[in-house]
Amino acid sequence: MNNAELVKRDLSVVWHPCTQMKDHEWLPMTPIRRGDGVWLEDFDGRRYLDAISSWWVNLFGHANPHINNALRKQAETLEHVMLAGFSHEAVIELSERLVDVAPPGLDRCFYADNGSSAIEVALKMSFHYWRNTGHNGKTRFITLENSYHGETLGALAVGNVELYKDTYGPLLMETISVPSPDCFNREPGESCAAYSERMFSHMQRALEQHAEQVCAVIVEPLVQCAGSMRMYDPIYLKLLREACDRYGVHLIADEIAVGFGRTGTFFACEQADISPDFLCLSKGLTGGYLPLSVVLTGDAVYQAFYDDYQSLRAFLHSHSYTGNALACRTALATLELFEQHDTINANRLLADAMAQATASFAEHPHIAEVRQSGMILAIEMVRDKPNRTPFPWQERRGLKVYQHGLDNGVLLRPLGNVVYFMPPYVISTEQIDMIAAVARDGIHKAVAD
Ligand SMILES: *Cc1c(COP(=O)(O)O)cnc(C)c1O
């Protein structure tokens, strides 16, 4: 089997995610034969350094021996059992560990099998909590502009990336959308913290006006990843936590992308020293191995559902693969790796290396900003730097960087005009230099003419 043969078979039966399939008339797809650490290898024997962790899921490399062993052992004993009326060791151990590492007060784990489903769970649970406690007027959600929470209809409704959302508008519940604290839009000379704090006035006003109808505010703490890796200051989360308490509104933290060390702390919320009412996790949860997600919440929410069956207060939500044993076991193995390698501390060196490798990029006439939050580094290309005028999306400049990357052994998959690194934590500083060099040349090519 070589690439060409597999691509031919693929294109006759597979419909790929987030893809205009017609692009594949001229844009080759890459069938992957095997993974090893940061590397992916195709069927023609070419290797690609996975600089974006296969869409932000992989933490400790592909085909990680420790996770493989855990998975193998679990497969030999129990692959899956339904979680209603039944339980298993892996889900119990994982829940204990998650409660240990989560911000204080989050001591209940409700499982689903992907990020979007976790968002649905949190939205439904918040709404249902308010019903169970006699607040029937609470039916709405506040979201930030430029936010992304997934693709199922509820998750899509609370997101704000037009590209993914607009078409489905008629199917989506209406939300209250508030300008983002995204620091890219700060005034020259203004600090990120000052800007994020200033932007909180919009949230304050929305809560003031609508709190009685609002179940929850949902945010991606610190980095709006799918929204072009835009970043904001922890002060915003602090203010938001205080305001949610003051107005009697839940706070949902979607750490599906930023959890598990991506922003430099284990959870992004730690940087604001806050606990949300609901913490949604997926992606890195299983180290990039298997689909699994979890919503952590606290006793106040749990108790509002805990009653005699006849009261009909129970949360009757489930998925077939809720709490899958194989997935839970890979998640436990992933948490073990964090401990064994002192990953959060070790990542500081890698984050510094990413900063150093891109230190000169900001001088480039078509790079408006290089921004970083821990293990996420983003480079924003613009047509006109002084005015920060973006390249028109139709020009697909980012795609040119993607193609250059593949030609040079690095998997970069820019979001529009934003090139970013979000590598597995097993990357070396030399490999960081390599992805930076390839990105630099790719950007150079992409902005020409
Ligand atoms: C990826 C993502 C989701 C959706 O997760 P899926 O597993 O793709 O459904 C939700 N929120 C954020 C912040 C994400 O990055």
Side-chain angles (χ1 to χ4, degrees), residues 56 114-117 119 148-150 220 225 254 256-257 282-283:
W56 327 339
N114 64 77
S116 303
S117 299
I119 298 298
Y148 178 85
H149 298 291
E220 297 156 271
C225 291
D254 175 356
I256 289 167
S282 188
K283 291 209 165 95

Side-chain angles (χ1 to χ4, degrees), residues 117-415:
S117 299
I119 298 298
E120 304 287 343
V121 166
L123 298 176
K124 284 174 71 179
M125 226 181 229
S126 172
F127 167 81
H128 199 160
Y129 167 90
W130 293 115
R131 280 189 84 85
N132 280 356
T133 56
H135 298 85
N136 290 344
K138 282 183 177 285
T139 58
R140 307 182 72 187
F141 294 91
I142 298 181
T143 79
L144 292 179
E145 284 175 7
N146 192 47
S147 58
Y148 178 85
H149 298 291
E151 304 289 358
T152 55
L153 293 177
L156 201 57
V158 293
N160 272 290
V161 178
E162 287 165 18
L163 178 63
Y164 306 121
K165 180 173 183 177
D166 273 8
T167 310
Y168 307 101
L171 304 183
L172 305 178
M173 69 173 162
E174 271 186 44
T175 56
I176 300 160
S177 171
V178 168
S180 167
D182 160 15
C183 294
F184 187 72
N185 299 317
R186 68 191 183 276
E187 297 297 324
E190 188 176 26
S191 75
C192 184
Y195 182 74
S196 293
E197 185 167 357
R198 179 155 73 79
M199 290 306 279
F200 190 75
S201 62
H202 298 281
M203 179 64 80
Q204 168 74 30
R205 210 167 311 135
L207 282 165
E208 230 166 70
Q209 275 177 20
H210 303 293
E212 280 186 12
Q213 305 143 37
V214 171
C215 300
V217 177
I218 179 167
V219 295
E220 297 156 271
L222 302 189
V223 188
Q224 297 184 311
C225 291
S228 301
M229 299 291 167
R230 293 294 181 84
M231 299 175 186
Y232 62 92
D233 191 271
I235 183 75
Y236 193 87
L237 296 173
K238 256 196 200 327
L239 295 170
L240 181 57
R241 177 68 275 182
E242 287 163 15
C244 285
D245 286 341
R246 199 155 7 111
Y247 288 103
V249 163
H250 285 144
L251 173 57
I252 302 173
D254 175 356
E255 294 220 18
I256 289 167
V258 295
F260 299 95
R262 283 295 175 192
T263 66
T265 44
F266 198 81
F267 293 118
C269 281
E270 292 169 29
Q271 294 184 42
D273 204 15
I274 60 152
S275 294
D277 299 290
F278 301 93
L279 176 66
C280 302
L281 305 173
S282 188
K283 291 209 165 95
L285 174 60
T286 63
Y289 263 67
L290 284 163
L292 180 71
S293 64
V294 60
V295 179
L296 280 91
T297 189
D299 201 48
V301 171
Y302 184 72
Q303 291 303 335
F305 291 80
Y306 196 90
D307 203 349
D308 297 326
Y309 185 82
Q310 285 73 8
S311 73
L312 294 178
R313 284 162 173 252
F315 190 58
L316 300 180
H317 181 112
S318 67
H319 298 285
S320 309
Y321 285 99
T322 292
N324 174 261
L326 296 170
C328 287
R329 195 52 78 184
T330 59
L332 276 164
T334 299
L335 290 172
E336 285 159 13
L337 286 169
F338 270 97
E339 278 190 8
Q340 283 172 24
H341 298 287
D342 192 17
T343 301
I344 297 297
N345 283 318
N347 278 357
R348 292 207 185 101
L349 288 176
L350 296 176
D352 284 348
M354 297 208 297
Q356 271 171 33
T358 54
S360 63
F361 283 34
E363 289 152 29
H364 190 287
H366 287 288
I367 293 177
E369 184 178 70
V370 179
R371 52 182 175 268
Q372 184 174 17
S373 176
M375 292 297 288
I376 307 172
L377 186 137
I379 303 151
E380 182 127 357
M381 302 185 289
V382 287
R383 187 174 70 193
D384 177 52
K385 190 162 171 169
N387 299 315
R388 296 198 153 181
T389 317
F391 285 111
W393 62 268
Q394 294 87 342
E395 294 176 6
R396 305 181 81 180
R397 304 269 173 171
L399 189 59
K400 294 179 180 143
V401 180
Y402 171 72
Q403 290 175 292
H404 176 84
L406 290 183
D407 288 342
N408 290 276
V410 178
L411 168 50
L412 295 163
R413 198 178 195 271
L415 292 153

